[in-house]
Amino acid sequence: MGLTILQVGYPLAPVGPDTVGGAEQVLYHLDAGLVARGHRSLVVAPEGSRPAGDLVPVPAVSGSLDGPVRQQAQARHARAIERALDRYGIDLVHLHGIDAFSYLPPPGVPVLVTLHLPPSWYPAETWGQGRPDTWLVPVSEHQRRQCPDSPALLPPVLNGVPAKALSSPYGKRNLLAAMGRICPEKGFEHAVDAAKAAGKPLLLAGKLYAYGAHQDYFENVLTPRLDSRRRFIGPLGFLGKRHLLGMARALLVPSLCEETSSLSSMEALACGTPVIAFPNGALPEVVEHGVTGFIVPDAAAMADAIADLGHIDPEACRATARARFSLDAMVESYLATYRRILGREARTEAA
């Protein structure tokens, strides 16, 4: 019997085939996977989003994303969730935003919250809030180990990427890539420094959001390091991302935060492109040192590792992505989690 799932994205980020945020990519692919398997997926997201399922639209936001704008967006999200619950027979609400507890629905329907970001970034009430039938799922084993003890915590569901669609071969060029949200915790200045030290060109792709701290970082830390050979090219859609990752010699991931996963690393491996990453968070679970890339401590070691890329087999990278980071495995794991939650609810009602 098919399920009806209400997927709820972050209030300030659209969802679609060319979305750039990691949580939004997971939501989009999960939504498409549910629809392909005969389930009904409804998606609460800003106007202009393009899910495979049915869009429950909220007004899109422009300009600064700080303070009152974010609070207004959260209030609109809460109202949209309430309308969807009144109109449709929702089996489960699946929330993806870091601010999910700002718009939890009233008790009654089971809720699953995917923890896309480091556990320390979530409010304290995440781990002990009193709403019944509210569950938390991490996206990696490392993240699960970092989570506080909570009876709501479920086993991880590992992220997946469209490995087959990313595997189209491109001729490698003498350049490096870096990719992700442009913000201080991603540490892209270290990627630029490493590329300069290695004498290699670098293309940095990513979205710069209208948060004050992100824009300050871009203008005062990142931009002064860029030059004609190390360039920022802005956000890329799926085809552009596949092209960049496919032709790059390596993806540099100098993240300074406790990464819960790394979709860009998984995507690079699916393209046959090794990854050179700092050892933060779950990155050592994604990148196998000496096999699919290198785990290094700093920018100097990152520059040294660039010279060793010839030792990495592109086909080993693609095989790893197909075996470990498939979308099918992610979608099936979420479906098993949904059924586990709904089974618990049924047993509770029967008792």
Side-chain angles (χ1 to χ4, degrees), residues 252-275:
L252 306 186
V253 185
S255 182
L256 304 176
C257 67
E258 288 287 312
E259 290 288 350
T260 58
S261 180
S262 179
L263 290 179
S264 62
S265 296
M266 296 174 184
E267 290 166 336
L269 297 181
C271 290
T273 300
V275 178

mmCIF file of all heavy atoms in Angstrom, residues 252-275:
data_model
loop_
_atom_site.group_PDB
_atom_site.id
_atom_site.type_symbol
_atom_site.label_atom_id
_atom_site.label_comp_id
_atom_site.label_asym_id
_atom_site.label_seq_id
_atom_site.Cartn_x
_atom_site.Cartn_y
_atom_site.Cartn_z
ATOM 1 N N LEU A 252 38.794 19.395 -4.096
ATOM 2 C CA LEU A 252 39.389 19.772 -2.822
ATOM 3 C C LEU A 252 38.279 20.105 -1.831
ATOM 4 O O LEU A 252 37.388 20.905 -2.129
ATOM 5 C CB LEU A 252 40.311 20.982 -2.998
ATOM 6 C CG LEU A 252 41.411 20.865 -4.071
ATOM 7 C CD1 LEU A 252 42.328 22.087 -4.026
ATOM 8 C CD2 LEU A 252 42.206 19.580 -3.914
ATOM 9 N N VAL A 253 38.320 19.463 -0.650
ATOM 10 C CA VAL A 253 37.274 19.647 0.369
ATOM 11 C C VAL A 253 37.954 20.025 1.691
ATOM 12 O O VAL A 253 38.192 19.172 2.545
ATOM 13 C CB VAL A 253 36.422 18.375 0.536
ATOM 14 C CG1 VAL A 253 35.266 18.640 1.500
ATOM 15 C CG2 VAL A 253 35.888 17.894 -0.805
ATOM 16 N N PRO A 254 38.245 21.322 1.873
ATOM 17 C CA PRO A 254 38.963 21.761 3.069
ATOM 18 C C PRO A 254 38.024 22.198 4.197
ATOM 19 O O PRO A 254 38.263 23.211 4.867
ATOM 20 C CB PRO A 254 39.769 22.944 2.539
ATOM 21 C CG PRO A 254 38.863 23.547 1.509
ATOM 22 C CD PRO A 254 38.074 22.405 0.899
ATOM 23 N N SER A 255 36.973 21.447 4.421
ATOM 24 C CA SER A 255 35.959 21.849 5.388
ATOM 25 C C SER A 255 36.539 21.939 6.794
ATOM 26 O O SER A 255 37.308 21.092 7.232
ATOM 27 C CB SER A 255 34.800 20.847 5.368
ATOM 28 O OG SER A 255 33.798 21.264 6.270
ATOM 29 N N LEU A 256 36.116 22.987 7.518
ATOM 30 C CA LEU A 256 36.583 23.221 8.878
ATOM 31 C C LEU A 256 35.574 22.773 9.925
ATOM 32 O O LEU A 256 35.862 22.835 11.117
ATOM 33 C CB LEU A 256 36.882 24.713 9.064
ATOM 34 C CG LEU A 256 37.875 25.317 8.067
ATOM 35 C CD1 LEU A 256 38.004 26.816 8.299
ATOM 36 C CD2 LEU A 256 39.218 24.631 8.147
ATOM 37 N N CYS A 257 34.404 22.341 9.496
ATOM 38 C CA CYS A 257 33.361 21.934 10.440
ATOM 39 C C CYS A 257 33.223 20.411 10.456
ATOM 40 O O CYS A 257 33.805 19.705 9.633
ATOM 41 C CB CYS A 257 32.027 22.587 10.082
ATOM 42 S SG CYS A 257 31.327 22.024 8.516
ATOM 43 N N GLU A 258 32.443 19.916 11.399
ATOM 44 C CA GLU A 258 32.193 18.482 11.523
ATOM 45 C C GLU A 258 31.191 18.060 10.453
ATOM 46 O O GLU A 258 29.990 18.005 10.696
ATOM 47 C CB GLU A 258 31.655 18.165 12.922
ATOM 48 C CG GLU A 258 32.679 18.277 14.028
ATOM 49 C CD GLU A 258 33.665 17.119 13.993
ATOM 50 O OE1 GLU A 258 33.231 15.962 13.892
ATOM 51 O OE2 GLU A 258 34.876 17.387 14.079
ATOM 52 N N GLU A 259 31.697 17.773 9.270
ATOM 53 C CA GLU A 259 30.810 17.394 8.173
ATOM 54 C C GLU A 259 30.034 16.124 8.531
ATOM 55 O O GLU A 259 30.610 15.134 8.971
ATOM 56 C CB GLU A 259 31.615 17.153 6.898
ATOM 57 C CG GLU A 259 32.214 18.407 6.293
ATOM 58 C CD GLU A 259 31.180 19.314 5.645
ATOM 59 O OE1 GLU A 259 30.011 18.892 5.489
ATOM 60 O OE2 GLU A 259 31.545 20.441 5.291
ATOM 61 N N THR A 260 28.732 16.172 8.327
ATOM 62 C CA THR A 260 27.902 15.008 8.617
ATOM 63 C C THR A 260 27.919 13.999 7.476
ATOM 64 O O THR A 260 27.612 12.819 7.665
ATOM 65 C CB THR A 260 26.452 15.445 8.870
ATOM 66 O OG1 THR A 260 25.972 16.138 7.711
ATOM 67 C CG2 THR A 260 26.373 16.369 10.076
ATOM 68 N N SER A 261 28.274 14.466 6.292
ATOM 69 C CA SER A 261 28.365 13.658 5.095
ATOM 70 C C SER A 261 29.151 14.509 4.114
ATOM 71 O O SER A 261 29.809 15.461 4.536
ATOM 72 C CB SER A 261 26.963 13.307 4.568
ATOM 73 O OG SER A 261 27.014 12.528 3.404
ATOM 74 N N SER A 262 29.128 14.215 2.845
ATOM 75 C CA SER A 262 29.723 15.112 1.845
ATOM 76 C C SER A 262 29.195 14.725 0.481
ATOM 77 O O SER A 262 29.769 13.879 -0.207
ATOM 78 C CB SER A 262 31.248 15.053 1.864
ATOM 79 O OG SER A 262 31.791 15.919 0.872
ATOM 80 N N LEU A 263 28.081 15.350 0.084
ATOM 81 C CA LEU A 263 27.501 15.033 -1.217
ATOM 82 C C LEU A 263 28.459 15.384 -2.346
ATOM 83 O O LEU A 263 28.568 14.642 -3.330
ATOM 84 C CB LEU A 263 26.182 15.779 -1.395
ATOM 85 C CG LEU A 263 25.007 15.320 -0.536
ATOM 86 C CD1 LEU A 263 23.796 16.184 -0.823
ATOM 87 C CD2 LEU A 263 24.687 13.860 -0.782
ATOM 88 N N SER A 264 29.166 16.508 -2.231
ATOM 89 C CA SER A 264 30.079 16.882 -3.314
ATOM 90 C C SER A 264 31.185 15.845 -3.475
ATOM 91 O O SER A 264 31.587 15.529 -4.604
ATOM 92 C CB SER A 264 30.670 18.266 -3.054
ATOM 93 O OG SER A 264 31.425 18.288 -1.851
ATOM 94 N N SER A 265 31.667 15.278 -2.363
ATOM 95 C CA SER A 265 32.687 14.226 -2.463
ATOM 96 C C SER A 265 32.112 12.983 -3.131
ATOM 97 O O SER A 265 32.762 12.361 -3.988
ATOM 98 C CB SER A 265 33.215 13.867 -1.073
ATOM 99 O OG SER A 265 33.886 14.956 -0.488
ATOM 100 N N MET A 266 30.893 12.599 -2.754
ATOM 101 C CA MET A 266 30.260 11.440 -3.372
ATOM 102 C C MET A 266 30.055 11.661 -4.864
ATOM 103 O O MET A 266 30.269 10.759 -5.681
ATOM 104 C CB MET A 266 28.921 11.164 -2.688
ATOM 105 C CG MET A 266 29.028 10.778 -1.225
ATOM 106 S SD MET A 266 27.381 10.659 -0.467
ATOM 107 C CE MET A 266 27.819 10.329 1.232
ATOM 108 N N GLU A 267 29.623 12.878 -5.224
ATOM 109 C CA GLU A 267 29.412 13.201 -6.639
ATOM 110 C C GLU A 267 30.726 13.152 -7.414
ATOM 111 O O GLU A 267 30.776 12.662 -8.545
ATOM 112 C CB GLU A 267 28.768 14.578 -6.749
ATOM 113 C CG GLU A 267 27.336 14.615 -6.257
ATOM 114 C CD GLU A 267 26.808 16.015 -6.050
ATOM 115 O OE1 GLU A 267 27.611 16.947 -5.846
ATOM 116 O OE2 GLU A 267 25.575 16.184 -6.078
ATOM 117 N N ALA A 268 31.798 13.684 -6.809
ATOM 118 C CA ALA A 268 33.102 13.639 -7.473
ATOM 119 C C ALA A 268 33.538 12.203 -7.728
ATOM 120 O O ALA A 268 33.984 11.857 -8.829
ATOM 121 C CB ALA A 268 34.143 14.375 -6.630
ATOM 122 N N LEU A 269 33.406 11.347 -6.720
ATOM 123 C CA LEU A 269 33.802 9.945 -6.893
ATOM 124 C C LEU A 269 32.980 9.282 -7.988
ATOM 125 O O LEU A 269 33.508 8.484 -8.776
ATOM 126 C CB LEU A 269 33.651 9.200 -5.571
ATOM 127 C CG LEU A 269 34.538 9.686 -4.415
ATOM 128 C CD1 LEU A 269 34.303 8.847 -3.173
ATOM 129 C CD2 LEU A 269 36.015 9.675 -4.801
ATOM 130 N N ALA A 270 31.685 9.603 -8.059
ATOM 131 C CA ALA A 270 30.842 9.037 -9.115
ATOM 132 C C ALA A 270 31.329 9.471 -10.497
ATOM 133 O O ALA A 270 31.133 8.753 -11.487
ATOM 134 C CB ALA A 270 29.389 9.459 -8.914
ATOM 135 N N CYS A 271 31.975 10.641 -10.573
ATOM 136 C CA CYS A 271 32.534 11.128 -11.827
ATOM 137 C C CYS A 271 33.929 10.563 -12.101
ATOM 138 O O CYS A 271 34.556 10.938 -13.104
ATOM 139 C CB CYS A 271 32.609 12.655 -11.797
ATOM 140 S SG CYS A 271 31.017 13.490 -11.852
ATOM 141 N N GLY A 272 34.435 9.713 -11.207
ATOM 142 C CA GLY A 272 35.778 9.187 -11.380
ATOM 143 C C GLY A 272 36.857 10.162 -10.958
ATOM 144 O O GLY A 272 38.002 10.066 -11.414
ATOM 145 N N THR A 273 36.501 11.089 -10.069
ATOM 146 C CA THR A 273 37.419 12.148 -9.647
ATOM 147 C C THR A 273 37.779 11.975 -8.186
ATOM 148 O O THR A 273 36.889 11.967 -7.325
ATOM 149 C CB THR A 273 36.773 13.529 -9.875
ATOM 150 O OG1 THR A 273 36.474 13.673 -11.269
ATOM 151 C CG2 THR A 273 37.683 14.655 -9.427
ATOM 152 N N PRO A 274 39.049 11.816 -7.860
ATOM 153 C CA PRO A 274 39.439 11.646 -6.458
ATOM 154 C C PRO A 274 39.196 12.904 -5.632
ATOM 155 O O PRO A 274 39.061 14.004 -6.176
ATOM 156 C CB PRO A 274 40.928 11.316 -6.538
ATOM 157 C CG PRO A 274 41.374 11.808 -7.864
ATOM 158 C CD PRO A 274 40.191 11.734 -8.778
ATOM 159 N N VAL A 275 39.174 12.726 -4.322
ATOM 160 C CA VAL A 275 38.885 13.804 -3.389
ATOM 161 C C VAL A 275 40.060 13.963 -2.429
ATOM 162 O O VAL A 275 40.561 12.971 -1.890
ATOM 163 C CB VAL A 275 37.592 13.516 -2.589
ATOM 164 C CG1 VAL A 275 37.317 14.634 -1.580
ATOM 165 C CG2 VAL A 275 36.409 13.343 -3.544
#
